[in-house]
Amino acid sequence: DPAPDTAPNTDPGMDSRMDAALLEQLHAIDGLDMGSGLQRVPGDPAKWLSLLRRFDDQHGDDVARLDALIAAQTIEDAKALVHGFNSAAGNLGLVHLQATASAIEEQLNRQDWPASHMSVIVMTGKLSAEYRLFHEALARIRPGALAPD
């Protein structure tokens, strides 16, 4: 039996085709600002994908935790959680998630908290739906797929 081909890739065009395919897949994620996100990792879409997946791993239960904190009226903890989520999303170019988290944070910081409670619940539902779409789109990305020549 011949040995499997384990030689490193020496085709300079393959890396650029893989990057192009990955960028195309990333572009399909609704609410992802390509320019902003790629500024964090110039010329390395695979690294950006890695950071997006780390965000997904680390913040995947934040919306459920936020719901629980709001239901328990633990507003200071809810503010801290949504602030961290907002910052992380913004740093990665997740503009829809960031905008919704920012709106929630703004409502939580209002002096009339009980009056803004319902709007926070509605926005948290929106954040949950946006996050689910992000998570599902991220799961569909196949970084090794090549773009057509």
Side-chain angles (χ1 to χ4, degrees):
D1 290 333
D5 184 10
T6 57
N9 171 29
T10 57
D11 177 1
M14 184 175 286
D15 285 342
S16 65
R17 289 193 311 271
M18 289 177 75
D19 284 352
L22 181 53
L23 287 171
E24 185 177 314
Q25 292 177 77
L26 287 167
H27 188 70
I29 297 177
D30 190 37
L32 187 61
D33 181 337
M34 300 293 288
S36 173
L38 285 171
Q39 281 182 336
R40 306 281 184 242
V41 290
D44 195 349
K47 176 68 174 171
W48 189 26
L49 175 60
S50 173
L51 294 172
L52 290 168
R53 287 191 167 147
R54 183 181 308 157
F55 173 87
D56 190 35
D57 289 342
Q58 293 177 349
H59 295 278
D61 65 343
D62 281 4
V63 177
R65 289 177 49 219
L66 182 60
D67 280 337
L69 291 170
I70 291 168
Q73 299 286 317
T74 316
I75 303 310
E76 292 306 314
D77 290 341
K79 287 179 189 179
L81 178 69
V82 78
H83 179 76
F85 183 95
N86 181 10
S87 297
N91 282 333
L92 293 172
L94 295 164
V95 295
H96 287 179
L97 294 174
Q98 180 190 24
T100 304
S102 181
I104 293 169
E105 187 175 7
E106 184 179 306
Q107 288 296 312
L108 290 173
N109 284 318
R110 289 180 54 164
Q111 296 301 320
D112 65 340
W113 161 244
S116 62
H117 187 200
M118 279 310 297
S119 64
V120 169
I121 291 171
V122 169
M123 285 186 281
T124 302
K126 178 181 178 191
L127 183 63
S128 179
E130 289 172 349
Y131 190 88
R132 185 179 60 255
L133 291 174
F134 160 73
H135 174 78
E136 291 169 356
L138 191 64
R140 287 190 296 272
I141 292 181
R142 300 293 174 247
L146 291 176
D149 287 334

